[in-house]
Every structure is written in C-alpha cells, then in structure tokens.
C-alpha cells in the first residue's frame, strides 16, 4: 500500500510540472530545464512517468492504475476462489474498465504502445469471457465437456496469439 501511495504522490507532483513548449515538443526536447529545479527532483522516477502523457493525473498515473489492477486481480482470485462465476465476471469487468481507460484516455505517448496495450487488453477480455462461459457451463447439470473443451482451446489460441503478437511488437518497436 505504501508503494501505491508513493506512486500516486509522485504522479500528482509530476503532473504539476510545467509542460514543454510547442517549440521544445517539435524539436523533441521534452526534458526542458525548469527554473525551480523540480524536474531534477523527479529524474530518478523517470520510468514511472516518461512514456505517458502529462495531460492529467489519470494518464500520468498509468503505472499506478496498472499496479492497482494487478493487485485487485490477485485479491479477487484469492477472495472468491469458491465462487468462480462471480470471480470471472468481476475479472472481466475489470478488463473491460481497463480497455475503456486505454481507449478514452490514451495514456501512452506513442501510438505503437497504445496499440499494443489495446491488443493485449482485448485478448485478456476474450480469455475472461471464455472463463465466464466455462464457469457457467460447469455450474449447470449435464455433460458440457465438448463445449468446455472448445472454450479451453480458444483460451490456448488467444494465449498463443498474445505471445506471437508480443514477439512481433518487440521487433516492431
């Protein structure tokens, strides 16, 4: 919790820094000097804020949002292990919210990174929908093993596609 709080504090302070002028942005000099020395204070935290837009605390705090999402996923899995349908619905909702966050706020500076995030969020959402379907089928009476097997195969295909796309994105960037 301390780390999350510190990330929020850093993001809030960095968002208050003055933006680069249009001329500096055209020239690619986004590390413009600041008379107050504020940027030097946050230089060590550059990986937390540099790849993200500085237009609002929500875009600047992408790492914080991502960290909270990961922690929530683990908490949901641990707390609701006896309720697979509820667990998969909440995880799917979390994936959907994350996808909307990326579409609406576009927190990445580079279009390539935004596309990568959107592709991976869509894959995660598709996997979560398959998990919901499996959980529902398992809760119903009757033999649904063929459907569950097909959904399991779809999950494997989505996972494989994600790995292949990750490799392509590495070489693309």
């Amino acid at each position: 919790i301390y780390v999350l709080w510190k990330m929020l504090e850093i993001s809030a302070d960095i968002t208050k820094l003055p933006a680069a002028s249009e001329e500096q942005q055209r020239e690619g000099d986004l590390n413009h000097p600041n008379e107050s020395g504020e940027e030097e204070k946050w230089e060590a935290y550059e990986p937390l804020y540099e790849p993200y837009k500085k237009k609002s605390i929500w875009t600047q705090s992408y790492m914080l949002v991502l960290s909270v999402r990961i922690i929530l996923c683990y908490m949901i899995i641990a707390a609701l292990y006896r309720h697979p349908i509820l667990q998969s619905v909440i995880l799917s909702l979390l994936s959907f919210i994350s996808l909307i966050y990326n579409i609406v706020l576009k927190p990445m500076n580079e279009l390539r990174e935004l596309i990568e995030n959107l592709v991976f969020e869509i894959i995660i959402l598709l996997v979560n929908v398959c998990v919901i379907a499996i959980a529902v089928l398992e809760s119903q009476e009757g033999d649904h093993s063929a459907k569950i097997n097909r959904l399991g195969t779809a999950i494997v295909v989505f996972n494989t596609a994600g790995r292949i796309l990750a490799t392509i994105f590495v070489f693309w960037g």
Side-chain angles (χ1 to χ4, degrees):
I1 292 179
Y2 172 76
V3 172
L4 294 176
W5 179 256
K6 192 66 176 170
M7 287 174 72
L8 180 62
E9 186 178 280
I10 290 167
S11 296
D13 286 345
I14 290 170
T15 305
K16 294 175 189 171
L17 292 175
S21 68
E22 287 182 31
E23 181 180 324
Q24 288 170 325
Q25 288 177 356
R26 279 193 304 272
E27 294 173 5
D29 181 21
L30 297 179
N31 296 322
H32 59 284
N34 186 346
E35 292 82 24
S36 65
E38 281 293 311
E39 284 199 12
E40 293 169 8
K41 176 181 174 183
W42 300 113
E43 222 170 83
Y45 300 103
E46 188 172 332
L48 290 176
Y49 68 88
E50 194 59 34
Y52 312 110
K53 294 180 180 174
K54 293 183 179 180
K55 65 181 180 181
S56 78
I57 192 166
W58 291 109
T59 56
Q60 190 67 46
S61 304
Y62 180 76
M63 287 301 290
L64 174 67
V65 171
L66 184 64
S67 299
V68 168
R69 177 186 177 198
I70 292 168
I71 290 169
L72 281 175
C73 285
Y74 287 131
M75 288 174 58
I76 291 165
I77 290 169
L80 299 174
Y81 68 93
R82 291 187 182 176
H83 309 284
I85 296 174
L86 181 61
Q87 183 183 55
S88 56
V89 167
I90 293 173
L91 289 173
S92 295
L93 185 61
L94 196 56
S95 291
F96 183 72
I97 290 169
S98 185
L99 183 64
I100 296 301
Y101 170 83
N102 278 299
I103 290 171
V104 172
L105 294 179
K106 298 176 182 78
M108 306 296 169
N109 279 332
E110 294 185 28
L111 179 62
R112 179 187 58 82
E113 291 176 350
L114 180 64
I115 291 170
E116 287 176 23
N117 268 355
L118 291 175
V119 166
F120 292 133
E121 288 298 334
I122 290 169
I123 290 173
I124 291 170
L125 186 59
L126 290 172
V127 167
N128 285 333
V129 168
C130 287
V131 171
I132 289 174
I134 289 172
V136 169
L137 287 172
E138 286 183 344
S139 70
Q140 295 175 348
E141 291 190 22
D143 184 27
H144 301 288
S145 59
K147 292 177 185 175
I148 291 173
N149 194 13
R150 282 194 300 269
L151 288 166
T153 302
I155 290 172
V156 171
V157 167
F158 293 142
N159 187 32
T160 304
R163 301 296 170 217
I164 291 169
L165 288 171
T167 304
I168 291 169
F169 288 143
V170 164
F171 290 113
W172 182 24

